[in-house]
Coordinates of all heavy atoms in Angstrom, one line a residue:
L1 N 0.8 -1.2 0.0 CA 0.0 0.0 0.0 C 0.9 1.3 0.0 O 0.5 2.2 -0.7 CB -0.9 0.0 1.3 CG -2.4 0.3 1.0 CD1 -3.0 -0.4 -0.2 CD2 -3.2 0.1 2.2
D2 N 1.9 1.2 0.8 CA 2.8 2.4 0.8 C 3.4 2.7 -0.6 O 3.5 3.9 -1.0 CB 4.0 2.2 1.8 CG 3.5 2.2 3.2 OD1 2.4 2.8 3.5 OD2 4.2 1.7 4.1
A3 N 3.7 1.6 -1.4 CA 4.3 1.9 -2.7 C 3.3 2.5 -3.6 O 3.7 3.3 -4.4 CB 4.8 0.5 -3.2
I4 N 2.1 2.0 -3.5 CA 1.0 2.6 -4.3 C 0.8 4.1 -4.1 O 0.7 4.9 -4.9 CB -0.3 1.8 -4.2 CG1 -0.2 0.4 -4.7 CG2 -1.4 2.5 -4.8 CD1 -1.3 -0.6 -4.5
E5 N 0.7 4.4 -2.7 CA 0.6 5.8 -2.4 C 1.7 6.7 -2.8 O 1.6 7.7 -3.3 CB 0.3 5.9 -0.9 CG 0.0 7.4 -0.5 CD -0.2 7.5 1.0 OE1 0.1 6.7 1.8 OE2 -0.9 8.5 1.3
A6 N 2.9 6.2 -2.6 CA 4.2 6.9 -3.1 C 4.1 7.1 -4.6 O 4.5 8.2 -5.1 CB 5.4 6.2 -2.7
R7 N 3.7 6.2 -5.4 CA 3.6 6.3 -6.8 C 2.5 7.4 -7.2 O 2.7 8.2 -8.0 CB 3.1 4.9 -7.4 CG 2.7 5.0 -8.9 CD 3.9 4.9 -9.8 NE 3.6 4.9 -11.2 CZ 4.1 5.3 -12.1 NH1 5.3 5.9 -11.9 NH2 3.7 5.2 -13.4
I8 N 1.4 7.3 -6.5 CA 0.3 8.3 -6.8 C 0.8 9.7 -6.4 O 0.6 10.7 -7.2 CB -1.0 7.9 -6.1 CG1 -1.6 6.6 -6.7 CG2 -2.0 9.1 -6.2 CD1 -2.7 6.0 -5.8
E9 N 1.5 9.9 -5.3 CA 2.0 11.1 -4.8 C 3.0 11.7 -5.8 O 3.0 12.9 -6.1 CB 2.6 11.0 -3.4 CG 3.2 12.3 -3.0 CD 3.7 12.2 -1.5 OE1 3.7 11.2 -1.0 OE2 4.1 13.3 -1.1
A10 N 4.0 10.9 -6.3 CA 4.9 11.3 -7.3 C 4.3 11.8 -8.6 O 4.7 12.8 -9.1 CB 6.0 10.1 -7.5
L11 N 3.3 11.0 -9.0 CA 2.6 11.5 -10.3 C 1.8 12.7 -10.1 O 1.8 13.5 -10.9 CB 1.7 10.3 -10.8 CG 2.5 9.1 -11.4 CD1 1.5 7.9 -11.6 CD2 3.3 9.3 -12.5
T12 N 1.2 12.8 -9.0 CA 0.4 13.9 -8.6 C 1.3 15.2 -8.6 O 1.0 16.3 -9.2 CB -0.4 13.8 -7.3 OG1 -1.3 12.7 -7.5 CG2 -1.2 15.0 -6.9
D13 N 2.4 15.0 -7.9 CA 3.4 16.2 -7.8 C 3.9 16.6 -9.2 O 4.0 17.7 -9.6 CB 4.6 15.8 -6.9 CG 4.2 15.8 -5.5 OD1 3.1 16.3 -5.1 OD2 5.0 15.2 -4.7
R14 N 4.1 15.6 -10.1 CA 4.6 15.8 -11.5 C 3.5 16.7 -12.2 O 3.9 17.6 -12.9 CB 4.8 14.5 -12.2 CG 5.4 14.6 -13.6 CD 5.5 13.2 -14.1 NE 6.2 13.2 -15.4 CZ 7.5 12.8 -15.6 NH1 8.1 12.3 -14.6 NH2 8.0 12.8 -16.8
L15 N 2.2 16.4 -12.1 CA 1.2 17.1 -12.8 C 1.1 18.5 -12.2 O 1.1 19.5 -13.0 CB -0.1 16.4 -12.6 CG -1.4 17.2 -13.3 CD1 -1.2 17.3 -14.8 CD2 -2.7 16.5 -12.9
K16 N 1.1 18.6 -10.9 CA 1.1 19.9 -10.3 C 2.2 20.8 -10.7 O 2.1 22.0 -10.8 CB 1.0 19.8 -8.7 CG -0.3 19.3 -8.2 CD -0.2 19.1 -6.8 CE -1.5 18.5 -6.2 NZ -1.5 18.2 -4.8
D17 N 3.4 20.2 -10.8 CA 4.6 21.0 -11.2 C 4.4 21.5 -12.7 O 5.0 22.4 -13.1 CB 5.9 20.1 -11.2 CG 6.4 19.9 -9.7 OD1 5.9 20.6 -8.8 OD2 7.1 19.0 -9.5
G18 N 3.6 20.7 -13.5 CA 3.5 21.1 -14.9 C 2.4 22.0 -15.2 O 2.1 22.5 -16.3
V19 N 1.5 22.4 -14.2 CA 0.4 23.3 -14.4 C 0.7 24.6 -13.7 O 1.3 24.7 -12.7 CB -0.8 22.7 -13.6 CG1 -2.0 23.7 -13.6 CG2 -1.3 21.4 -14.3
P20 N 0.4 25.7 -14.4 CA 0.7 27.1 -13.8 C 0.1 27.2 -12.4 O -1.0 26.8 -12.2 CB 0.0 28.1 -14.8 CG -0.1 27.3 -16.0 CD -0.3 25.9 -15.8
E21 N 1.0 27.7 -11.5 CA 0.6 27.8 -10.1 C -0.7 28.5 -9.8 O -1.4 28.1 -9.0 CB 1.8 28.4 -9.3 CG 1.7 28.3 -7.8 CD 1.9 26.9 -7.3 OE1 2.7 26.2 -7.9 OE2 1.4 26.5 -6.3
D22 N -1.0 29.6 -10.6 CA -2.1 30.4 -10.3 C -3.4 29.6 -10.8 O -4.5 30.1 -10.5 CB -2.0 31.8 -11.0 CG -1.9 31.7 -12.5 OD1 -1.3 30.6 -13.1 OD2 -2.3 32.7 -13.1
R23 N -3.3 28.6 -11.4 CA -4.5 27.8 -12.0 C -4.7 26.6 -11.2 O -5.7 25.8 -11.4 CB -4.3 27.5 -13.5 CG -4.4 28.9 -14.3 CD -4.3 28.7 -15.7 NE -5.1 27.8 -16.3 CZ -5.0 27.2 -17.4 NH1 -4.0 27.4 -18.2 NH2 -5.8 26.3 -17.9
L24 N -3.8 26.2 -10.3 CA -4.0 25.0 -9.5 C -4.9 25.3 -8.4 O -4.6 26.1 -7.5 CB -2.5 24.6 -9.0 CG -2.5 23.3 -8.2 CD1 -2.9 22.1 -9.1 CD2 -1.1 23.1 -7.6
L25 N -6.0 24.6 -8.4 CA -7.0 24.7 -7.3 C -6.8 23.8 -6.2 O -7.3 24.0 -5.1 CB -8.4 24.7 -7.9 CG -8.7 25.7 -9.0 CD1 -10.1 25.5 -9.6 CD2 -8.7 27.2 -8.4
S26 N -6.2 22.7 -6.5 CA -5.9 21.6 -5.4 C -4.8 22.2 -4.5 O -4.0 23.0 -4.9 CB -5.4 20.4 -6.0 OG -6.5 19.8 -6.7
P27 N -4.7 21.7 -3.3 CA -3.7 22.1 -2.4 C -2.3 21.6 -3.0 O -2.2 20.5 -3.7 CB -3.9 21.3 -1.1 CG -5.3 21.0 -1.2 CD -5.7 20.9 -2.6
R28 N -1.3 22.4 -2.9 CA 0.0 22.0 -3.4 C 0.6 20.7 -2.7 O 1.2 19.8 -3.4 CB 1.1 23.2 -3.2 CG 2.4 22.9 -3.9 CD 2.2 23.0 -5.4 NE 3.4 22.7 -6.1 CZ 3.7 21.5 -6.6 NH1 3.0 20.5 -6.4 NH2 4.8 21.4 -7.3
A29 N 0.4 20.6 -1.5 CA 0.8 19.4 -0.7 C -0.1 18.2 -1.1 O -1.3 18.4 -1.3 CB 0.8 19.6 0.7
F30 N 0.5 17.0 -1.2 CA -0.3 15.8 -1.6 C -1.4 15.5 -0.5 O -1.1 15.6 0.6 CB 0.7 14.6 -1.7 CG 0.0 13.3 -2.0 CD1 -0.5 13.1 -3.3 CD2 -0.2 12.4 -1.0 CE1 -1.2 11.9 -3.5 CE2 -0.8 11.1 -1.3 CZ -1.3 10.9 -2.5
E31 N -2.6 15.3 -1.1 CA -3.7 14.8 -0.3 C -4.3 13.5 -1.0 O -4.7 12.5 -0.3 CB -4.8 15.9 -0.2 CG -4.3 17.0 0.7 CD -5.6 18.0 0.8 OE1 -6.5 17.9 0.0 OE2 -5.4 18.8 1.8
S32 N -4.3 13.5 -2.3 CA -4.9 12.4 -3.0 C -4.5 12.5 -4.4 O -3.8 13.4 -4.8 CB -6.4 12.3 -2.9 OG -7.0 13.4 -3.8
G33 N -5.0 11.6 -5.3 CA -4.7 11.6 -6.7 C -5.5 12.5 -7.5 O -5.6 12.3 -8.8
L34 N -6.4 13.3 -6.9 CA -7.3 14.1 -7.6 C -6.7 15.5 -7.6 O -6.3 16.1 -6.6 CB -8.6 14.2 -6.8 CG -9.3 12.8 -6.7 CD1 -10.6 13.0 -5.9 CD2 -9.6 12.2 -8.0
V35 N -6.6 16.0 -8.9 CA -5.9 17.4 -9.1 C -6.9 18.2 -9.8 O -7.4 17.9 -10.9 CB -4.6 17.3 -9.8 CG1 -4.0 18.7 -10.1 CG2 -3.6 16.4 -9.1
T36 N -7.3 19.4 -9.3 CA -8.3 20.3 -9.9 C -7.6 21.5 -10.4 O -6.8 22.1 -9.7 CB -9.4 20.7 -8.8 OG1 -9.9 19.5 -8.3 CG2 -10.4 21.6 -9.5
V37 N -7.9 21.9 -11.6 CA -7.2 23.0 -12.3 C -8.3 23.9 -12.8 O -9.3 23.5 -13.4 CB -6.4 22.4 -13.5 CG1 -5.7 23.6 -14.3 CG2 -5.4 21.5 -13.0
D38 N -8.0 25.2 -12.7 CA -8.9 26.3 -13.2 C -8.7 26.5 -14.7 O -7.6 26.6 -15.2 CB -8.5 27.6 -12.5 CG -9.5 28.8 -12.9 OD1 -10.6 28.5 -13.2 OD2 -9.0 29.9 -12.9
V39 N -9.8 26.4 -15.4 CA -9.9 26.7 -16.9 C -11.0 27.6 -17.2 O -12.0 27.7 -16.4 CB -9.9 25.4 -17.7 CG1 -8.7 24.6 -17.5 CG2 -11.1 24.6 -17.3
A40 N -11.0 28.3 -18.3 CA -12.1 29.3 -18.7 C -13.4 28.6 -18.9 O -14.4 29.0 -18.5 CB -11.6 30.1 -19.9
D41 N -13.3 27.4 -19.6 CA -14.5 26.7 -20.0 C -14.3 25.2 -19.7 O -13.9 24.5 -20.6 CB -14.9 27.0 -21.4 CG -16.2 26.4 -21.9 OD1 -16.8 25.5 -21.2 OD2 -16.7 26.9 -23.0
P42 N -14.7 24.7 -18.5 CA -14.5 23.3 -18.2 C -15.0 22.4 -19.2 O -14.3 21.4 -19.6 CB -15.1 23.2 -16.8 CG -15.0 24.6 -16.3 CD -15.2 25.5 -17.4
A43 N -16.3 22.5 -19.6 CA -16.9 21.5 -20.6 C -16.1 21.5 -21.8 O -15.9 20.4 -22.5 CB -18.3 21.9 -20.8
A44 N -15.7 22.7 -22.4 CA -15.0 22.7 -23.7 C -13.6 22.1 -23.5 O -13.1 21.5 -24.4 CB -14.9 24.2 -24.1
T45 N -13.0 22.3 -22.3 CA -11.7 21.7 -22.0 C -11.7 20.2 -22.1 O -10.9 19.5 -22.6 CB -11.0 22.3 -20.7 OG1 -10.9 23.6 -20.8 CG2 -9.7 21.6 -20.4
V46 N -12.8 19.7 -21.4 CA -13.0 18.2 -21.3 C -13.1 17.6 -22.7 O -12.5 16.7 -23.0 CB -14.2 17.8 -20.4 CG1 -14.5 16.4 -20.6 CG2 -13.9 18.2 -18.9
K47 N -13.9 18.3 -23.6 CA -14.1 17.8 -25.0 C -12.8 17.9 -25.7 O -12.5 17.0 -26.4 CB -15.2 18.8 -25.6 CG -15.5 18.3 -27.0 CD -16.6 19.1 -27.6 CE -16.8 18.6 -29.0 NZ -17.8 19.4 -29.8
R48 N -12.1 19.1 -25.6 CA -10.8 19.2 -26.5 C -9.8 18.2 -26.0 O -9.2 17.5 -26.9 CB -10.3 20.6 -26.3 CG -10.9 21.7 -27.2 CD -10.1 22.9 -27.2 NE -10.2 23.7 -25.9 CZ -11.2 24.5 -25.6 NH1 -12.1 24.8 -26.4 NH2 -11.1 25.1 -24.4
L49 N -9.6 18.0 -24.7 CA -8.7 17.0 -24.2 C -9.1 15.6 -24.6 O -8.3 14.8 -24.9 CB -8.4 17.2 -22.8 CG -7.3 18.2 -22.4 CD1 -7.5 19.6 -22.9 CD2 -6.9 18.2 -20.9
G50 N -10.4 15.3 -24.5 CA -10.9 14.0 -24.8 C -10.6 13.7 -26.3 O -10.3 12.5 -26.6
E51 N -10.6 14.7 -27.1 CA -10.3 14.4 -28.5 C -8.9 14.1 -28.8 O -8.5 13.5 -29.8 CB -10.6 15.7 -29.4 CG -12.1 15.9 -29.5 CD -12.5 17.3 -30.0 OE1 -11.6 18.1 -30.3 OE2 -13.7 17.5 -30.3
R52 N -8.0 14.4 -27.7 CA -6.6 14.0 -27.7 C -6.4 12.8 -26.9 O -5.2 12.4 -26.7 CB -5.8 15.2 -27.2 CG -5.9 16.4 -28.0 CD -5.4 17.6 -27.4 NE -3.9 17.7 -27.1 CZ -3.2 18.7 -26.7 NH1 -3.8 19.8 -26.5 NH2 -2.0 18.6 -26.5
G53 N -7.4 12.1 -26.5 CA -7.2 10.9 -25.7 C -7.0 11.1 -24.2 O -6.6 10.2 -23.6
I54 N -7.1 12.3 -23.8 CA -6.9 12.7 -22.3 C -8.3 12.8 -21.7 O -9.1 13.6 -22.0 CB -6.2 13.9 -22.2 CG1 -4.8 13.9 -23.0 CG2 -6.0 14.3 -20.7 CD1 -4.1 15.1 -23.1
V55 N -8.5 11.9 -20.7 CA -9.8 11.8 -20.1 C -9.8 12.5 -18.7 O -9.1 12.1 -17.9 CB -10.4 10.3 -19.9 CG1 -11.7 10.3 -19.2 CG2 -10.4 9.6 -21.3
I56 N -10.6 13.6 -18.6 CA -10.7 14.3 -17.4 C -12.1 14.7 -17.3 O -13.0 14.3 -18.1 CB -9.8 15.6 -17.5 CG1 -10.3 16.6 -18.5 CG2 -8.3 15.3 -17.5 CD1 -9.6 17.9 -18.5
R57 N -12.6 15.3 -16.1 CA -13.9 15.7 -15.9 C -14.0 17.1 -15.5 O -13.1 17.6 -14.9 CB -14.6 14.7 -14.9 CG -14.1 14.8 -13.5 CD -15.0 14.0 -12.6 NE -16.3 14.6 -12.5 CZ -17.0 14.8 -11.4 NH1 -16.4 14.4 -10.2 NH2 -18.0 15.4 -11.4
D58 N -15.2 17.6 -15.9 CA -15.4 19.0 -15.5 C -16.2 19.0 -14.1 O -16.8 18.1 -13.8 CB -16.2 19.8 -16.5 CG -17.6 19.3 -16.8 OD1 -17.6 18.1 -16.9 OD2 -18.5 20.0 -16.9
L59 N -16.0 20.0 -13.3 CA -16.6 20.2 -12.0 C -17.6 21.4 -12.0 O -17.2 22.4 -12.5 CB -15.6 20.4 -11.0 CG -14.6 19.3 -10.8 CD1 -13.5 19.6 -9.8 CD2 -15.2 17.9 -10.4
P60 N -18.7 21.2 -11.3 CA -19.6 22.4 -11.2 C -19.1 23.4 -10.1 O -19.4 24.6 -10.3 CB -20.9 21.7 -10.8 CG -20.5 20.4 -10.1 CD -19.2 20.0 -10.8
H61 N -18.4 22.9 -9.2 CA -17.8 23.8 -8.2 C -16.6 23.2 -7.6 O -16.7 22.0 -7.1 CB -18.9 24.1 -7.1 CG -18.3 25.1 -6.1 ND1 -18.3 26.5 -6.3 CD2 -17.9 24.9 -4.8 CE1 -17.7 27.0 -5.2 NE2 -17.5 26.1 -4.3
P62 N -15.4 23.7 -7.5 CA -15.2 25.0 -8.2 C -15.2 24.8 -9.7 O -15.1 23.7 -10.2 CB -13.8 25.4 -7.7 CG -13.1 24.0 -7.5 CD -14.2 23.1 -7.0
D63 N -15.4 25.9 -10.5 CA -15.4 25.9 -11.9 C -14.0 25.6 -12.4 O -13.2 26.4 -12.6 CB -15.9 27.3 -12.4 CG -16.6 27.3 -13.7 OD1 -17.1 26.2 -14.0 OD2 -16.7 28.3 -14.3
G64 N -13.8 24.3 -12.8 CA -12.6 23.8 -13.3 C -12.7 22.3 -13.8 O -13.8 21.9 -14.0
V65 N -11.6 21.7 -14.0 CA -11.4 20.3 -14.4 C -10.7 19.6 -13.4 O -9.8 20.1 -12.6 CB -10.8 20.2 -15.8 CG1 -11.8 20.8 -16.8 CG2 -9.5 20.7 -15.9
R66 N -11.0 18.3 -13.3 CA -10.3 17.4 -12.4 C -9.6 16.2 -13.2 O -10.2 15.6 -14.0 CB -11.2 16.8 -11.4 CG -10.5 15.8 -10.5 CD -11.4 15.4 -9.3 NE -11.4 16.5 -8.4 CZ -12.4 16.6 -7.6 NH1 -13.4 15.7 -7.4 NH2 -12.5 17.6 -6.7
V67 N -8.3 16.1 -12.8 CA -7.5 15.0 -13.4 C -7.5 13.9 -12.2 O -7.1 14.3 -11.1 CB -6.1 15.4 -13.8 CG1 -5.3 14.2 -14.3 CG2 -6.2 16.6 -14.8
S68 N -7.8 12.7 -12.5 CA -7.7 11.6 -11.5 C -6.5 10.8 -11.8 O -6.4 10.2 -12.9 CB -9.0 10.7 -11.6 OG -10.1 11.6 -11.2
I69 N -5.5 10.7 -10.9 CA -4.3 10.0 -11.1 C -4.3 8.8 -10.2 O -4.7 8.7 -9.0 CB -3.1 10.9 -10.7 CG1 -3.2 12.1 -11.6 CG2 -1.9 10.1 -10.8 CD1 -2.3 13.2 -11.2
H70 N -3.9 7.6 -10.7 CA -3.8 6.4 -10.0 C -2.4 5.8 -10.2 O -1.7 6.2 -11.1 CB -4.9 5.5 -10.2 CG -5.1 4.6 -9.1 ND1 -4.3 3.5 -8.7 CD2 -6.0 4.5 -8.1 CE1 -4.8 2.9 -7.6 NE2 -5.8 3.5 -7.2
A71 N -2.1 4.7 -9.5 CA -0.8 4.1 -9.7 C -0.6 3.6 -11.1 O 0.6 3.4 -11.5 CB -0.7 2.9 -8.6
V72 N -1.6 3.2 -11.8 CA -1.5 2.7 -13.1 C -1.3 3.8 -14.2 O -1.0 3.5 -15.3 CB -2.6 1.8 -13.6 CG1 -2.7 0.7 -12.7 CG2 -3.9 2.6 -13.6
S73 N -1.4 5.2 -13.8 CA -1.2 6.2 -14.7 C 0.3 6.2 -15.0 O 1.2 5.8 -14.2 CB -1.5 7.6 -14.0 OG -3.0 7.6 -13.7
T74 N 0.7 6.7 -16.3 CA 2.1 6.8 -16.7 C 2.6 8.2 -16.7 O 1.8 9.1 -16.8 CB 2.2 6.2 -18.0 OG1 1.5 7.0 -19.0 CG2 1.7 4.8 -18.1
E75 N 3.9 8.3 -16.6 CA 4.5 9.6 -16.7 C 4.1 10.3 -18.0 O 3.9 11.5 -18.0 CB 6.0 9.5 -16.6 CG 6.5 9.2 -15.2 CD 6.5 7.8 -14.8 OE1 6.0 6.9 -15.6 OE2 6.9 7.5 -13.7
R76 N 4.1 9.6 -19.1 CA 3.6 10.1 -20.4 C 2.3 10.7 -20.4 O 2.0 11.8 -20.9 CB 3.8 9.0 -21.5 CG 3.4 9.5 -22.8 CD 3.5 8.4 -23.9 NE 4.9 8.3 -24.1 CZ 5.3 7.5 -25.1 NH1 4.6 6.9 -25.9 NH2 6.7 7.4 -25.3
E77 N 1.3 10.0 -19.7 CA 0.0 10.5 -19.6 C -0.1 11.8 -18.8 O -0.8 12.7 -19.1 CB -1.0 9.4 -19.0 CG -1.2 8.2 -19.8 CD -1.9 7.0 -19.1 OE1 -1.6 6.8 -17.9 OE2 -2.6 6.2 -19.7
I78 N 0.6 11.7 -17.7 CA 0.7 13.0 -16.8 C 1.3 14.1 -17.6 O 0.8 15.3 -17.6 CB 1.5 12.6 -15.6 CG1 0.9 11.5 -14.8 CG2 1.6 13.9 -14.7 CD1 -0.6 11.6 -14.4
D79 N 2.3 13.9 -18.3 CA 3.0 15.0 -19.0 C 2.1 15.5 -20.1 O 2.0 16.7 -20.4 CB 4.3 14.5 -19.7 CG 5.4 14.3 -18.6 OD1 5.2 14.7 -17.4 OD2 6.4 13.7 -18.9
A80 N 1.3 14.5 -20.8 CA 0.4 14.9 -21.9 C -0.7 15.9 -21.2 O -1.1 16.8 -21.9 CB -0.1 13.8 -22.6
A81 N -1.2 15.4 -20.1 CA -2.3 16.2 -19.5 C -1.8 17.6 -19.1 O -2.5 18.6 -19.3 CB -2.9 15.5 -18.3
A82 N -0.7 17.6 -18.5 CA 0.0 19.0 -18.1 C 0.2 19.8 -19.3 O -0.2 21.0 -19.2 CB 1.3 18.8 -17.3
D83 N 0.7 19.3 -20.3 CA 1.0 20.1 -21.6 C -0.4 20.6 -22.1 O -0.5 21.8 -22.5 CB 1.6 19.2 -22.6 CG 3.1 18.9 -22.3 OD1 3.7 19.5 -21.3 OD2 3.7 17.9 -23.0
A84 N -1.3 19.8 -22.2 CA -2.7 20.2 -22.7 C -3.3 21.2 -21.8 O -3.9 22.2 -22.4 CB -3.6 18.9 -22.9
L85 N -3.3 21.1 -20.5 CA -3.9 22.0 -19.6 C -3.1 23.4 -19.7 O -3.8 24.4 -19.6 CB -3.9 21.5 -18.2 CG -4.9 20.4 -18.0 CD1 -4.7 19.6 -16.7 CD2 -6.3 20.9 -18.1
R86 N -1.9 23.4 -19.9 CA -1.1 24.6 -20.0 C -1.5 25.4 -21.2 O -1.5 26.6 -21.3 CB 0.4 24.4 -20.1 CG 1.1 24.3 -18.8 CD 2.5 24.4 -18.9 NE 3.2 23.5 -19.8 CZ 3.5 22.3 -19.7 NH1 3.4 21.7 -18.5 NH2 4.1 21.6 -20.6
E87 N -2.0 24.7 -22.3 CA -2.5 25.4 -23.6 C -4.0 25.9 -23.5 O -4.3 26.7 -24.3 CB -2.5 24.3 -24.7 CG -1.1 23.8 -25.0 CD -1.1 22.6 -26.1 OE1 -2.2 22.3 -26.5 OE2 0.0 22.1 -26.3
E88 N -4.7 25.5 -22.4 CA -6.1 25.9 -22.3 C -6.1 27.3 -21.7 O -5.4 27.7 -20.9 CB -6.8 24.9 -21.3 CG -7.1 23.6 -21.9 CD -8.1 23.7 -23.1 OE1 -9.2 24.2 -22.9 OE2 -7.7 23.2 -24.2
P89 N -7.1 28.1 -22.2 CA -7.3 29.4 -21.6 C -7.9 29.3 -20.2 O -8.4 28.3 -19.8 CB -8.4 30.0 -22.6 CG -9.1 28.8 -23.3 CD -8.0 27.7 -23.2

């Protein structure tokens, strides 16, 4: 269990490091594999990223998107999500 949590924490930190600090709505310190990011139009962001094979969800409150990270997530997937989110308004 410790190895799984450490893996999720490392991947979560990787995503948070790749997202602009002012758009990160989740706490900077690790709490879980859920990372919430502020975007201008959450539904449109979910659709655009989905077209690129990146599955995230929009949230009604706070107005943003959530990336769910687990031990089976890869560094490549995390980097792709961070890159795509940086491009979003």
Side-chain angles (χ1 to χ4, degrees):
L1 228 46
D2 289 341
I4 292 171
E5 183 175 22
R7 169 86 175 148
I8 295 168
E9 182 175 0
L11 292 172
T12 300
D13 288 347
R14 185 180 185 110
L15 179 64
K16 290 176 180 179
D17 288 343
V19 173
E21 192 73 32
D22 63 331
R23 294 182 48 204
L24 183 63
L25 299 177
S26 293
R28 187 68 183 96
F30 176 73
E31 290 184 346
S32 74
L34 303 176
V35 178
T36 304
V37 178
D38 181 32
V39 294
D41 186 343
T45 296
V46 168
K47 182 178 179 185
R48 278 191 292 272
L49 271 61
E51 291 168 354
R52 296 168 65 172
I54 301 168
V55 179
I56 60 173
R57 66 173 291 223
D58 60 318
L59 299 174
H61 182 77
D63 208 21
V65 295
R66 175 169 290 158
V67 180
S68 300
I69 300 168
H70 205 286
V72 297
S73 301
T74 67
E75 286 83 357
R76 180 180 285 192
E77 291 169 330
I78 299 305
D79 293 345
D83 291 346
L85 287 167
R86 274 195 310 274
E87 295 170 6
E88 286 295 305

